[in-house]
Amino acid sequence: MDFSIDARDGHHVVVNKISTRTFGTFNDGHGAKLRRDDVQKFADTMDGMTVEELIAAHSICHMAKVSTATLVICHNVIEDLLEDKGIAPPYTCGDTGTKIAALHNYVPFTKAEERYTLGPVYVPGQLDGHGEFIDATTLQKAIWDWVRSGDRTIYLQHSEKAAGEMVEVLTWPMPIETQLSLPGEDIRKVEFPADTPFMGVIWETWAWDLIKAGQLRGYSIGGKARRIEADIATESLVEQGTA
């Protein structure tokens, strides 16, 4: 297998030339080169293994109790090697009938490895953690303007570090009640008002690990506003002024 560095939207992306699977996105070429060299070295070492040994290594990756960015990279390299050798999911040896039977009960790891989340961008008309809010009309216009800009990059904590890519966004026109699940917490029901926007994101491998660990728990929108101070008349003052 050969790995290369592609230029995408001003970033350096390490990819497998054959599978086109990505192995990290970097702001600078140096970091991308280090990742490419590390992944290439690991792939060259694993390529000397037999199919049976690769399958065993693949199983070990799935049995690990703690997922790390390095483990995910190793797992993806092993899958690419297996597929290059003609072994398809669920990556087992044996006769065709056994493989077909296994596929019926197989939950594809590749689906999980799409690293996809869907969640509310911002709840309109409700105070957030900073004591601020946005009305539904203003929020909708901001969403449209952002989508039109063409930049689908999701950044980490308002930094310049790319953490994922927006792949879909929709403002739901009616109130909705759904269940939300967070790592280490019970599933709970949540009600969202009409015109709440939801966004789907595919994350970088390192960001996905933070999400699974519960360290990244939601979106945080950025914006600009001009603050003003105003005196708000109390009911008694209004009555005095009109008396």
Side-chain angles (χ1 to χ4, degrees):
M1 287 194 304
D2 291 324
F3 297 85
S4 64
I5 300 174
D6 290 356
R8 300 181 184 177
D9 299 326
H11 297 92
H12 304 269
V13 183
V14 180
V15 299
N16 180 351
K17 292 181 180 179
I18 298 176
S19 72
T20 69
R21 195 198 298 252
T22 63
F23 289 84
T25 301
F26 300 84
N27 291 327
D28 63 279
H30 178 68
K33 184 179 183 299
L34 292 176
R35 173 62 58 80
R36 182 199 62 191
D37 292 347
D38 286 343
V39 174
Q40 186 69 64
K41 183 177 180 180
F42 177 73
D44 291 342
T45 301
M46 300 297 287
D47 197 27
M49 292 185 171
T50 65
V51 168
E52 289 75 13
E53 289 172 333
L54 286 172
I55 290 174
H58 181 261
S59 298
I60 290 173
C61 290
H62 280 277
M63 289 187 293
K65 294 183 178 179
V66 179
S67 177
T68 65
T70 301
L71 179 64
V72 172
I73 290 173
C74 293
H75 165 274
N76 291 347
V77 169
I78 293 170
E79 282 199 352
D80 280 355
L81 283 169
L82 284 168
E83 293 181 10
D84 190 48
K85 295 177 183 294
I87 306 298
Y91 306 111
T92 60
C93 291
D95 59 271
T96 303
T98 301
K99 288 188 176 182
I100 293 176
L103 284 171
H104 286 293
N105 297 318
Y106 178 64
V107 179
F109 188 77
T110 52
K111 184 175 183 179
E113 283 308 302
E114 287 173 357
R115 304 184 300 277
Y116 172 83
T117 60
L118 176 69
V121 179
Y122 195 91
V123 180
Q126 294 186 12
L127 291 178
D128 59 21
H130 301 284
E132 301 171 338
F133 74 95
I134 301 177
D135 63 86
T137 301
T138 303
L139 179 59
Q140 180 66 84
K141 290 180 179 179
I143 292 288
W144 286 341
D145 288 342
W146 179 60
V147 171
R148 287 168 177 154
S149 73
D151 183 7
R152 302 202 306 269
T153 306
I154 304 299
Y155 297 95
L156 179 66
Q157 301 292 351
H158 306 288
S159 70
E160 296 183 357
K161 186 176 181 62
E165 178 189 23
M166 181 275 290
V167 292
E168 59 184 322
V169 62
L170 169 70
T171 298
W172 196 249
M174 298 167 288
I176 183 174
E177 181 180 89
T178 186
Q179 293 181 334
L180 288 185
S181 175
L182 292 172
E185 297 184 11
D186 294 333
I187 296 176
R188 56 193 177 92
K189 289 186 178 181
V190 179
E191 293 184 0
F192 295 104
D195 300 321
T196 298
F198 293 84
M199 181 167 63
V201 175
I202 293 179
W203 300 91
E204 291 296 321
T205 52
W206 60 267
W208 182 247
D209 290 333
L210 294 178
I211 290 171
K212 291 189 292 184
Q215 297 179 32
L216 287 182
R217 301 160 63 94
Y219 307 126
S220 177
I221 66 173
K224 297 179 180 179
R226 184 176 61 185
R227 294 182 181 274
I228 61 174
E229 293 185 3
D231 292 327
I232 301 177
T234 64
E235 183 177 354
S236 58
L237 289 177
V238 172
E239 292 175 349
Q240 291 174 8
T242 58

